[in-house]
Structure formats: structure tokens, C-alpha cells
Amino acid sequence: EGVRLFLNYENRSCFAPDSKRLLPVTLITGFLGAGKTTLLNYLVSNKQELRIAAAVNDFAALNIDSELISNMDDKNTGVVALSNGCLCCSLSDSLQSTVWKLLQGDYSDFEERSFDEIDYLVIETSGITDPLALIELLERKYGKMTRVRLDSVVTVMDTDAIYSELQASKESRTIKSEIAMNQLRCADVVLLNKKDIVTEDQYSLVENWVKETV
């Protein structure tokens, strides 16, 4: 069953005046090993007629299919253009600097591509990053970030790991990491990954706990 991560974009961009359009952003968060990179790889490989820019912390971990890569810059800026029209770049600078470069077209090292045509920006956070500060940054109504709009926060969770923590906590039914809890609480969409390695009862327990927590 597909998850329509870009539903808000599709509903709101079609009828918006050109002067009012902002670059929509989805923030993908989740703890280490939850499956964020797998999700991001799927999105850039299976875009739904959208020119997506993906900003990642560990570009090497994205492991993009070599057949998708159409061009790589020659200035070591950490940018790769894909044959399907998408773009991947590294979060080597601050998030604000990276977003501003994308908006300004500072990564225009390719002859056949204009980066001001980007439809959507997907940002993958580090597994140990508390997303609250990033959300606040993206929702600023002043400065450089006024040209972007936070569309959704997607939190990917390792179902097996969460189940183990809940079993260990017994009565409290909580997980130890405050960062992981913040990643869950701020989510618009929660994806429970690794369902195939838990039983149906274990999955139901985690699912119910997520519903109670969010």
C-alpha cells in the first residue's frame, strides 16, 4: 500500500498563484537503522512526475542505482543529477545554507539542468538529530526560509527495536531515547518498518502504542 507523502503538494500547488508558491519540504526522521535511507532511495527512484531534490547527511549511504545517475558535478559540491529529473545533494553545510543554495540555483554545474525547476525538497535527518529545531527553522516566517514550506514530517520506526524496548520497559511503556520520542511526537506520518521480522501480535502492540503516543 503506497503512502501519499506528496498529497499536500498535489492538492495545494495546482491552484496556487505563481507569486504565492513556496518550495514544499518533507522532513524524514527516525532513529539509526530505522530505514530512512531506504525510503529516500525509493522516493528519488519512483518520483510521481515530480522533480525532487533530496538533501542527505550521508550521501554514500544512499547507494543510488548507477543507471539513474545522469551527471555528477566536477566541483566536489556533493551533487548528483538523476536521469529521472531528480537531484541529490549532501548536507555538508547547515540546512539553511543547503536550502538557500537550491533556491538560488548555486548548484548549476550541469549544462542541461536548471535547479530552479525543483518541485519538492526531501530532507533526511541524522538518526541522532532531534527534529524540533529543524522544524522550527523550516517554519520561520522571516529571512531565507520564507521561500520554503514544511509540508510534512515523516518518522520511520524500526518495529522490532521499538517492541523490544517496550517489553523491557514493562509498566512505563516508553522508550529511553528522548530524541526518538520527539521524532515520533512531531510526525505527520509514521512508517512502521521491518514488519516482516515481528509477529502480528508484536506489530499490533507497537502500532497501538504509536497511536497512543502521537
Side-chain angles (χ1 to χ4, degrees):
E1 181 180 358
V3 178
R4 299 292 297 280
L5 300 184
F6 306 120
L7 183 59
N8 288 340
Y9 170 81
E10 294 170 356
N11 289 339
R12 296 166 67 174
S13 66
C14 294
F15 306 103
D18 289 340
S19 60
K20 297 291 186 180
R21 289 182 181 173
L22 303 175
L23 178 65
V25 179
T26 283
L27 193 65
I28 298 179
T29 186
F31 220 63
L32 296 167
K36 302 184 300 298
T37 301
T38 301
L39 173 62
L40 186 58
N41 204 343
Y42 175 82
L43 293 177
V44 298
S45 300
N46 300 271
K47 67 183 186 66
Q48 300 174 0
E49 301 304 321
L50 296 177
R51 294 177 294 261
I52 300 171
V56 300
N57 280 282
D58 186 358
F59 188 81
L62 193 55
N63 193 27
I64 298 172
D65 188 340
S66 59
E67 293 183 358
L68 273 177
I69 298 176
S70 65
N71 205 346
M72 298 186 69
D73 67 344
D74 57 2
K75 298 183 180 180
N76 296 319
T77 55
V79 183
V80 171
L82 306 184
S83 58
N84 61 12
C86 294
L87 165 73
C88 296
C89 64
S90 173
L91 280 173
S92 54
D93 300 319
S94 69
L95 173 61
Q96 182 168 308
S97 297
T98 299
V99 171
W100 185 245
K101 286 180 180 179
L102 289 170
L103 291 171
Q104 295 296 102
D106 285 356
Y107 289 135
S108 54
D109 297 326
F110 307 103
E111 296 179 356
E112 300 178 357
R113 175 139 174 83
S114 173
F115 293 133
D116 59 0
E117 297 177 352
I118 292 170
D119 294 318
Y120 211 100
L121 173 61
V122 181
I123 300 171
E124 179 198 11
T125 70
S126 164
I128 57 174
T129 297
D130 190 324
L132 296 181
L134 296 180
I135 292 171
E136 180 183 359
L137 178 65
L138 290 167
E139 291 185 332
R140 282 182 181 174
K141 302 304 181 184
Y142 59 89
K144 296 178 178 179
M145 304 306 282
T146 57
R147 291 177 57 187
V148 302
R149 169 177 57 80
L150 180 60
D151 201 37
S152 60
V153 178
V154 179
T155 299
V156 185
M157 308 199 75
D158 182 334
T159 306
D160 183 49
I162 296 299
Y163 174 78
S164 297
E165 283 213 44
L166 292 177
Q167 289 298 101
S169 64
K170 298 291 184 181
E171 297 179 1
S172 63
R173 288 178 58 82
T174 59
I175 56 179
K176 295 180 180 179
S177 172
E178 186 62 27
I179 291 177
M181 289 299 297
N182 285 340
Q183 291 172 345
L184 179 59
R185 293 185 185 113
C186 71
D188 298 302
V189 177
V190 178
L191 296 181
L192 293 179
N193 195 22
K194 304 184 181 180
K195 179 181 178 180
D196 57 320
I197 62 175
V198 297
T199 66
E200 290 187 10
D201 288 343
Q202 292 170 340
Y203 180 83
S204 296
L205 187 148
V206 174
E207 182 181 35
N208 291 333
W209 175 78
V210 168
K211 291 178 179 179
E212 294 170 0
T213 305
V214 173

